[in-house]
């Protein structure tokens, strides 16, 4: 079974890349395709130091810095990959990877982290945050997103089977493409955490500093609460977050995994205010035995058990988060570290390997026999 793995872009080792890492471990002979590859030599270990097949976007001016701005060209670029030598194509999709062209004798399985957020249900939020609600640039962006939606819907027909990283994303796939998806939760390295460490008197959040992650909401709530908060991460919103942080908020910037692990094992509680497709960090926090206080929508509603491994608040507001933290401080919930660890182990790497391999091989066997994939 000759396998090709297609991913949108390789520029970091974040959530979707961790899924690709495990797929490549399952299929070590697979070839890897990506629109661009800007991984540093130190980052290449997770792809097995492979040579990556890239698109023409790799060679465009200033691509390393602004490759995301070439989004209008990405549907064309992904269609130029020649995958004719492979039996199975696995696309890792959060933008355009599922749009690759395959032949009738090839099986295409797409693992979807999300349909393109900024082209579908989050378009208005994206335009608002980017300052593109009005004007010529805003009008051009709306036209681009309109045609991107048309292409995205049409290219869904090129996929034989969809896998979704959560029930939340399976519903998004149905809404956008009217196609069913099998839920297969992404892998989380729970083994790196010790859940039996003593807890200390500080709260923790780990996040990229981008608008939809709502780090500002966490900082604003803890400014009012006056409780100690440690914030790990960086991003485009750094200056704004730094300006609003009170004396009780400690900004550490980006930190290596060892530091993140240490803080998760010691924090009193882990704060997660974003609406995420899945959300790996709340699962990691539970693996470390930390109670999770999170906005109860998106993938986190499937990974955190309210009242047992964490507290889910109902509105994405400062007041709602503040009330949840106060309820936790008052001891209204009996949260058990061992129970949190058991919950996190449901999302282990070993479980992902077992389920993903079984899914691919069973689907491919049926495909060869001429059975309907879905």
């Amino acid at each position: 079974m000759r396998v090709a793995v297609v991913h949108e872009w390789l520029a970091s080792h974040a959530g979707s890349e961790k899924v690709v890492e495990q797929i490549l471990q399952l299929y070590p002979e697979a070839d890897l395709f990506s629109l661009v590859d800007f991984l540093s030599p130190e980052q290449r270990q997770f792809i097995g130091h492979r040579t990556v097949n890239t698109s023409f976007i790799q060679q465009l001016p200033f691509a390393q810095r602004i490759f995301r701005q070439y989004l209008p060209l990405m549907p064309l670029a992904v269609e130029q990959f020649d995958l004719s030598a492979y039996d199975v194509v696995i696309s890792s999709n959060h933008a355009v990877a599922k749009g690759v062209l395959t032949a009738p004798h090839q099986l295409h399985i797409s693992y979807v982290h999300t349909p393109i957020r900024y082209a579908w249900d989050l378009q208005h939020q994206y335009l608002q945050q980017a300052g593109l609600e009005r004007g010529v640039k805003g009008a051009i962006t709306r036209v681009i997103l309109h045609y991107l939606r048309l292409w995205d819907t049409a290219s869904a027909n090129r996929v034989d089977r969809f896998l979704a990283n959560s029930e939340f994303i399976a519903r998004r796939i149905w809404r956008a493409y009217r196609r069913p998806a099998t839920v297969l939760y992404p892998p989380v390295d729970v083994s790196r955490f010790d859940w039996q460490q003593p807890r200390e008197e500080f709260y923790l959040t780990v996040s990229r500093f981008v608008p939809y992650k709502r780090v500002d909401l966490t900082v604003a709530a803890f400014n009012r609460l006056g409780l100690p908060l440690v914030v790990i991460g960086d991003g485009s919103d750094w200056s704004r977050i730094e300006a609003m942080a009170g004396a009780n908020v400690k900004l550490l910037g980006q930190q290596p995994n060892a530091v993140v692990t240490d803080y998760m094992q010691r924090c009193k509680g882990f704060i997660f205010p974003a609406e995420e497709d899945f959300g790996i960090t709340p699962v990691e926090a539970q693996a470390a035995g930390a109670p999770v206080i999170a906005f109860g929508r998106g993938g986190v509603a499937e990974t955190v058990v309210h009242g047992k491994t964490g507290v889910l608040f109902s509105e994405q507001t400062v007041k709602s988060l503040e009330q949840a933290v106060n309820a936790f401080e008052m001891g209204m919930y009996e949260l058990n570290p061992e129970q949190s660890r058991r919950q996190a182990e449901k999302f282990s790497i070993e479980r992902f390997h077992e389920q993903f391999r079984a899914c691919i091989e069973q689907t491919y066997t049926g495909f060869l026999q001429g059975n309907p994939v879905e």
Side-chain angles (χ1 to χ4, degrees):
M1 190 171 71
R2 294 164 297 178
V3 178
V5 176
V6 184
H7 188 58
E8 268 98 13
W9 50 74
L10 293 167
S12 64
H13 188 201
S16 61
E17 288 78 28
K18 290 178 180 178
V19 174
V20 170
E21 176 182 11
Q22 298 307 320
I23 293 173
L24 293 175
Q25 288 191 18
L26 283 170
Y27 300 100
E29 302 301 319
D31 290 331
L32 180 58
F33 293 77
S34 178
L35 296 176
V36 296
D37 172 18
F38 294 121
L39 295 173
S40 66
E42 298 77 25
Q43 294 175 309
R44 306 194 70 80
Q45 183 175 357
F46 83 89
I47 61 168
H49 297 280
R50 282 172 170 77
T51 298
V52 179
N53 301 280
T54 58
S55 74
F56 65 80
I57 294 177
Q58 181 87 16
Q59 307 304 324
L60 293 179
F62 312 109
Q64 184 164 3
R65 182 166 54 87
I66 63 166
F67 66 86
R68 290 178 179 83
Q69 295 182 31
Y70 288 119
L71 176 66
L73 296 176
M74 289 183 182
L76 172 64
V78 82
E79 291 175 345
Q80 305 314 303
F81 287 139
D82 180 2
L83 304 175
S84 57
Y86 303 96
D87 302 307
V88 177
V89 175
I90 302 170
S91 58
S92 164
N93 183 87
H94 56 71
V96 300
K98 69 171 176 48
V100 291
L101 303 179
T102 56
H105 66 275
Q106 295 175 292
L107 175 66
H108 179 188
I109 297 178
S110 186
Y111 188 94
V112 178
H113 309 281
T114 181
I116 311 175
R117 296 187 195 96
Y118 35 85
W120 290 100
D121 51 318
L122 297 184
Q123 173 186 287
H124 301 294
Q125 180 179 333
Y126 163 75
L127 292 171
Q128 181 182 17
Q129 291 171 349
L132 295 171
E133 293 177 287
R134 298 178 179 83
V136 175
K137 287 185 178 180
I140 293 172
T141 302
R142 289 174 188 274
V143 171
I144 291 171
L145 294 178
H146 170 72
Y147 284 103
L148 188 58
R149 278 192 295 276
L150 296 178
W151 178 87
D152 193 38
T153 302
S155 65
N157 292 321
R158 304 172 190 174
V159 177
D160 295 298
R161 184 175 187 179
F162 279 107
L163 304 179
N165 70 357
S166 64
E167 295 286 354
F168 178 64
I169 292 305
R171 292 192 294 272
R172 266 189 179 165
I173 291 170
W174 178 258
R175 173 67 63 185
Y177 312 137
R178 284 298 188 261
R179 293 282 301 278
T182 301
V183 175
L184 203 167
Y185 292 113
V188 181
D189 186 6
V190 300
S191 62
R192 78 181 226 231
F193 298 96
D194 179 0
W195 60 272
Q196 296 176 301
Q197 295 294 315
R199 296 283 142 196
E200 298 180 18
E201 289 297 318
F202 69 89
Y203 289 84
L204 174 69
T205 191
V206 179
S207 176
R208 284 185 294 121
F209 286 21
V210 292
Y212 85 94
K213 296 286 189 178
R214 298 310 311 270
V215 181
D216 60 329
L217 191 154
T218 300
V219 171
F222 275 80
N223 281 344
R224 291 171 55 168
L225 288 162
L227 297 170
L229 173 70
V230 173
V231 182
I232 295 178
D234 62 12
S236 58
D237 265 6
W238 174 270
S239 298
R240 186 167 69 93
I241 299 301
E242 184 180 36
M244 66 183 294
N248 59 308
V249 178
K250 185 177 182 181
L251 303 180
L252 297 185
Q254 193 68 30
Q255 295 294 325
N257 282 343
V259 174
V260 174
T261 299
D262 176 58
Y263 274 93
M264 281 188 172
Q265 291 172 169
R266 294 187 292 115
C267 69
K268 186 174 185 178
F270 184 82
I271 310 299
F272 192 79
E275 180 181 330
E276 275 282 15
D277 310 320
F278 173 73
I280 287 179
T281 53
V283 178
E284 291 178 332
Q286 289 175 96
V292 175
I293 301 173
F295 177 49
R297 191 185 298 169
V300 75
E302 302 169 44
T303 62
V304 176
V305 183
H306 179 69
K308 293 185 177 180
T309 70
V311 180
L312 300 179
F313 55 94
S314 59
E315 297 179 2
Q316 206 173 31
T317 63
V318 171
K319 182 179 179 181
S320 190
L321 172 54
E322 188 179 4
Q323 289 174 340
V325 174
N326 279 328
F328 174 70
E329 284 279 323
M330 293 168 61
M332 292 180 63
Y333 303 96
E334 295 183 8
L335 307 181
N336 184 285
E338 186 175 2
Q339 191 167 243
S340 294
R341 176 59 177 237
R342 286 199 302 268
Q343 174 68 6
E345 287 173 349
K346 296 177 182 178
F347 308 94
S348 69
I349 290 174
E350 294 75 18
R351 183 269 326 160
F352 177 83
H353 281 187
E354 179 182 347
Q355 293 182 355
F356 192 88
R357 184 188 294 276
C359 178
I360 298 296
E361 294 182 358
Q362 289 170 10
T363 305
Y364 185 57
T365 299
F367 182 75
L368 291 178
Q369 294 170 350
N371 299 328
V373 173
E374 295 176 347

